[in-house]
Amino acid sequence: MRASILYIGIVDHDNTPHAVQFKDGVNVITGRSSTGKSALIEIFDYCFGSSDFSVPVGVITENARIFFTIMKTGDTVLVLARHGDSNQVFLKEEFELSLFSSIDWLNLSYFEKDYFHPLREYLKKIKQYFNITVTDIDEDMNDRLRRGARASTPSVRSFSSFMLQHQNLVANKHAIFYRFDQKEKREQVIDHLKIFLGFADQRYFSLKQKLNELEAARRRLIREIPKKKDIEVIYRSKLEQAIFAFESITGKRLEMELSAAISSPRNELNKLKARKIQYSASSDEHIRLLIKEEGNRTALTAKLRESQISLAEINSTMEFSRLYAAHNKEIGIPRAATISHASCPFCHSENHVVEESANKLSDAIGWLNAELKRSSYRQLALDEDQAALQNEIAGIRSELAVCTSKIRDIKKQTQDLKTVKNQYELSVEAKLRIEAILTELLSVKLAAPDAELKVLDSDIKNINDELTANYDLKEKIEGAEARIRALLKIYGDRFDFERSYNPINLQFSLDSFDLWHQTDDDRKVFLRAMGSGANWLSCHIVLFLSLQRYFCELGAGCAIPSILFFDQPSQVYFPTILDSADEFSPAQLAAKDTSRPKNRAVDEDIEAVTKLFDQMVIFCKETAKATGITPQIIVTDHADHLHLKSGAVFEDLVRERWRDAGDGFIDLRALNA
């Protein structure tokens, strides 16, 4: 996103502003140690919504009444400010850019109380200026229910991981990204990147939620299909018995197809209610049905007994097998028998009869051991046969119970005709029983699973088609990785790496945010194993230039601001803790550095630092030409008076130089005057 910082500063107790002004492109703030250079990145981070107040304690914190950052986003100027260690953040939108050509007028009265917001509310408000409109990123509502809250929504705080390289991070071999030491924040940045890059919007997450709901419903339906089949069997049996009772008492056939009654109980119920009771006193239908069911009962009883006998035989075999196996464990089984030959004790002539017998014994032992090994498989087969027979017997018993119940109904109807009710009353009762079963079926809602599955599958396909057409994240992420990999190659070739890593082949994963060098034999060499601080620094710079170039190529579709902070990158070559001179002197710094290898030439380090700034200048020019966006790179460092080869003049890049006594972010000479 096209964005830049105009000012970073404070207003002191005397109501006077102290600030550094920035431009597009490379900005350098140079000077001695402890002049407030590193405070700039901390003030920006604090005003941008950090929950930590990490501005270095000292002159700045002692004199500051309020910290501020003024940013330009598009045609809008945002003024962000906070009091020290406060949970309230000032946010004001201005539309007159000319107002900020100078900020000598800025004082405490500008920061009106009405523009301060609690930090949480501020983070919600500032999102709109970076086109972050996604408010619900849960893809599965069940996850939200288990978690008890929404997933963390995208925040501008995640931007800082792509923008800020602090002094202790810019050449770190163990860490690359700011805030990644906290697992939760690392996961948020990685998860939110697809939103920042414009790959996913609120529609995407709404579709994913709906898709997961439909897929969960489909899984539930598939699990319920066996249950519905069981219910269907129960009601089929109930209807069959009720129809049997109706036909036996009326002597008339009831033309009702069971499958149709179960799938469409409403239609059959309406037909039955419209049917008048008709019966035949002279019909012998009950006799026919009784004979039929008694025949069925006889056949089922015979089948049951056969199955019971088979089950008893299997149980006996299994018990014998179990006892046999237990007995075998107690007996030592020979594994082999070998006799090469035998000889007569008197004449010493060889005899091969014993040898042949021994070989036969050996074969027998081999066969026995093989059979014993197969016993466990036979046991498994018997278990399967036993289970199958038990299920078969249960089914026969169920059929036998239905058959017996039908016979009992016929005999009870005959008894009732003698003592209690007439044939008409019994016919009405039988009809009402069928109606009651059909009414129950209506409440059970036995919808056809195939039809429901068809609808669900169609809805799932439609959503997947839309996700593939508009939000193919896998393809987009792979495309992004490929482009970043190409940029890593371009910028990697421009920076210095040790000979063993030349040519450098840096790779970066958007899934894990790991960076590594890929060797010719496809071995991954991660940053921590890449040797010197110069390698680590180059890896950091190359990666962040590549990422920023890619963000600029996405243009307005990317929410991440085109801003980079590098704090003390030259410390790899000249440790900043030693820099207290009035002028930047590489030779003096090198002489004071006790950890420095004696054979390393100062000119080589100056050349490396010069190349670093040259490449930043070239990067900004090339990116502006290719994308129309000029990135803003802010470098706070003690390197100075470099002779750049890129055509730029180092002095033109310097926004502030703090070398004289009293110089710094806060001019001590003015305070003491």
Side-chain angles (χ1 to χ4, degrees):
M1 180 179 184
R2 190 189 303 272
S4 60
I5 298 171
L6 301 180
Y7 296 93
I8 296 176
I10 68 160
V11 177
D12 66 18
H13 293 287
D14 294 328
N15 214 13
T16 301
H18 302 259
V20 178
Q21 185 175 8
F22 301 96
K23 301 177 182 179
D24 289 342
V26 179
N27 300 260
V28 178
I29 295 86
T30 183
R32 295 180 293 108
S33 301
S34 302
T35 52
K37 299 188 300 298
S38 295
L40 293 171
I41 192 172
E42 301 293 354
I43 293 173
F44 168 78
D45 193 30
Y46 182 57
C47 293
F48 207 59
S50 174
S51 58
D52 298 324
F53 178 61
S54 53
V55 179
V57 176
V59 175
I60 296 174
T61 54
E62 290 170 0
N63 288 278
R65 283 287 301 276
I66 196 166
F67 302 86
F68 65 83
T69 293
I70 301 174
M71 296 183 66
K72 182 175 179 290
T73 59
D75 297 326
T76 300
V77 175
L78 299 179
V79 181
L80 318 174
R82 293 174 78 174
H83 295 290
D85 204 9
S86 169
N87 194 44
Q88 298 287 315
V89 187
F90 179 91
L91 172 59
K92 189 174 182 180
E93 182 180 11
E94 299 281 7
F95 299 98
E96 293 294 332
L97 184 60
S98 59
L99 181 66
F100 296 94
S101 58
S102 169
I103 57 168
D104 292 340
W105 54 268
L106 188 67
N107 56 40
L108 293 172
S109 63
Y110 176 81
F111 301 98
E112 299 174 274
K113 183 179 179 181
D114 291 344
Y115 292 94
F116 280 91
H117 310 278
L119 179 57
R120 184 182 295 272
E121 187 65 26
Y122 158 82
L123 291 174
K124 291 180 181 178
K125 286 181 175 294
I126 197 173
K127 289 198 298 186
Q128 63 181 308
Y129 299 105
F130 296 92
N131 297 324
I132 303 176
T133 58
V134 177
T135 58
D136 184 359
I137 66 168
D138 280 311
E139 296 187 11
D140 191 334
M141 300 304 289
N142 289 325
D143 288 344
R144 180 186 294 179
L145 291 174
R146 286 190 291 270
R147 190 171 54 246
R150 283 188 174 188
S152 177
T153 54
S155 165
V156 297
R157 291 303 304 145
S158 294
F159 292 168
S160 58
S161 296
F162 301 102
M163 298 162 57
L164 309 183
Q165 284 280 286
H166 294 73
Q167 181 178 351
N168 63 349
L169 185 64
V170 71
N172 195 309
K173 71 174 180 177
H174 298 293
I176 304 175
F177 293 93
Y178 173 49
R179 305 198 319 156
F180 271 32
D181 55 326
Q182 302 175 54
K183 181 176 181 291
E184 181 182 359
K185 291 180 179 178
R186 173 192 175 97
E187 291 175 349
Q188 286 176 4
V189 171
I190 295 174
D191 195 37
H192 295 166
L193 182 61
K194 59 180 176 284
I195 300 169
F196 299 152
L197 298 182
F199 295 169
D201 55 18
Q202 191 59 67
R203 174 66 178 169
Y204 166 81
F205 291 101
S206 298
L207 287 172
K208 291 292 286 186
Q209 289 175 7
K210 183 62 177 176
L211 178 63
N212 281 306
E213 287 177 10
L214 292 172
E215 288 178 340
R218 189 181 190 281
R219 290 192 297 271
R220 285 195 301 270
L221 182 60
I222 289 174
R223 287 196 301 268
E224 289 173 1
I225 288 175
K227 182 181 177 182
K228 289 187 175 182
K229 286 183 178 178
D230 292 341
I231 294 173
E232 182 178 332
V233 169
I234 292 171
Y235 277 93
R236 178 180 288 273
S237 176
K238 282 185 177 182
L239 270 176
E240 185 180 1
Q241 194 163 341
I243 292 170
F244 177 89
F246 178 85
E247 291 178 347
S248 64
I249 189 61
T250 62
K252 300 286 187 180
R253 299 297 300 273
L254 181 62
E255 300 299 333
M256 181 182 290
E257 208 278 313
L258 288 176
S259 297
I262 290 170
S263 61
S264 304
R266 171 64 66 186
N267 292 337
E268 296 301 325
L269 182 60
N270 291 338
K271 290 179 185 177
L272 187 60
K273 286 184 175 180
R275 176 179 179 135
K276 294 182 179 180
I277 295 292
Q278 294 180 344
Y279 59 91
S280 173
S282 61
S283 173
D284 61 353
E285 181 68 13
H286 64 289
I287 298 298
R288 186 187 67 80
L289 293 173
L290 180 62
I291 293 172
K292 177 185 174 183
E293 293 306 321
E294 285 181 341
N296 288 340
R297 182 167 65 176
T298 300
L300 287 169
T301 302
K303 188 176 179 181
L304 176 63
R305 292 185 178 183
E306 288 177 358
S307 298
Q308 288 173 330
I309 291 170
S310 297
L311 180 61
E313 290 173 349
I314 287 177
N315 289 339
S316 176
T317 304
M318 290 176 68
E319 179 63 16
F320 175 79
S321 178
R322 185 187 66 78
L323 294 174
Y324 178 72
H327 180 68
N328 281 342
K329 289 180 181 179
E330 300 174 0
I331 299 174
I333 303 298
R335 297 298 173 190
T338 57
I339 297 179
S340 58
H341 64 272
S343 60
C344 176
F346 300 104
C347 64
H348 302 290
S349 60
E350 291 188 358
N351 189 325
H352 295 281
V353 175
V354 176
E355 179 183 349
E356 293 173 1
S357 299
N359 290 335
K360 290 180 180 179
L361 176 59
S362 180
D363 292 341
I365 290 172
W367 174 85
L368 177 60
N369 287 331
E371 289 299 309
L372 290 175
K373 286 180 182 178
R374 282 199 289 266
S375 64
S376 60
Y377 300 109
R378 291 196 179 108
Q379 184 72 24
L380 289 174
L382 289 173
D383 288 341
E384 293 174 1
D385 291 343
Q386 182 191 49
L389 276 171
Q390 287 173 340
N391 290 334
E392 182 181 314
I393 289 171
I396 295 172
R397 289 185 187 277
S398 178
E399 290 182 53
L400 197 56
V402 171
C403 187
T404 302
S405 178
K406 289 179 178 179
I407 293 171
R408 189 186 307 115
D409 284 347
I410 293 175
K411 292 182 177 180
K412 185 176 182 300
Q413 289 172 0
T414 303
Q415 187 65 30
D416 288 344
L417 285 171
K418 290 180 181 179
T419 58
V420 182
K421 303 174 182 177
N422 58 39
Q423 189 176 8
Y424 175 77
E425 291 172 328
L426 289 174
S427 299
V428 171
E429 187 180 272
K431 180 186 175 188
L432 291 175
R433 191 190 305 174
I434 298 173
E435 291 178 0
I437 295 170
L438 292 173
T439 303
E440 282 183 37
L441 268 172
L442 287 174
S443 62
V444 171
K445 194 181 178 181
L446 279 173
D450 289 344
E452 290 185 43
L453 280 174
K454 188 175 180 180
V455 172
L456 286 172
D457 287 341
S458 175
D459 291 343
I460 289 171
K461 181 181 181 302
N462 290 338
I463 292 178
N464 277 323
D465 288 346
E466 183 175 351
L467 287 170
T468 300
N470 302 323
Y471 305 99
D472 192 345
L473 293 192
K474 183 180 178 182
E475 181 180 342
K476 290 181 178 180
I477 293 295
E478 288 176 353
E481 283 187 343
R483 178 54 183 159
I484 292 169
R485 186 163 56 247
L487 292 168
L488 287 169
K489 176 62 178 172
I490 293 171
Y491 298 125
D493 289 343
R494 300 179 182 181
F495 282 80
D496 292 329
F497 289 89
E498 290 180 359
R499 186 179 304 170
S500 57
Y501 301 110
N502 283 325
I504 193 69
N505 183 20
L506 292 176
Q507 307 288 311
F508 182 68
S509 167
L510 288 176
D511 288 329
S512 63
F513 272 44
D514 285 328
L515 178 72
W516 68 90
H517 165 68
Q518 190 95 10
T519 64
D520 292 338
D521 58 353
D522 287 335
R523 184 168 53 90
K524 292 182 179 180
V525 181
F526 289 94
L527 188 63
R528 58 185 176 273
M530 287 185 65
S532 71
N535 286 333
W536 305 330
L537 173 66
S538 294
C539 284
H540 279 251
I541 300 294
V542 168
L543 174 61
F544 277 80
L545 293 184
S546 299
L547 290 174
Q548 188 57 240
R549 172 59 182 267
Y550 179 67
F551 298 158
C552 290
E553 288 178 350
L554 293 177
C558 178
I560 301 171
S562 51
I563 299 170
L564 282 174
F565 271 91
F566 293 115
D567 186 17
Q568 312 286 356
S570 72
Q571 65 182 305
V572 168
Y573 306 100
F574 304 106
T576 59
I577 195 170
L578 303 174
D579 186 10
S580 57
D582 293 339
E583 290 293 336
F584 173 62
S585 174
Q588 290 182 14
L589 291 175
K592 292 179 181 180
D593 184 5
T594 57
S595 64
R596 181 186 180 87
K598 294 182 179 180
N599 61 347
R600 197 169 83 197
V602 175
D603 289 345
E604 291 181 7
D605 289 343
I606 285 295
E607 184 179 349
V609 173
T610 302
K611 179 182 283 189
L612 176 68
F613 283 89
D614 266 326
Q615 290 304 323
M616 290 182 185
V617 171
I618 294 170
F619 166 79
C620 289
K621 289 181 179 179
E622 289 180 345
T623 302
K625 183 178 180 180
T627 69
I629 298 175
T630 302
Q632 184 181 58
I633 301 178
I634 299 173
V635 185
T636 52
D637 208 298
H638 60 294
D640 203 353
H641 304 301
L642 301 176
H643 300 288
L644 303 180
K645 300 176 182 178
S646 58
V649 178
F650 187 80
E651 191 66 26
D652 294 340
L653 308 180
V654 175
R655 305 293 169 248
E656 294 288 345
R657 178 179 284 115
W658 298 324
R659 282 286 172 184
D660 294 338
D663 267 355
F665 184 70
I666 294 181
D667 191 338
L668 296 178
R669 293 166 299 186
L671 287 178
N672 296 327

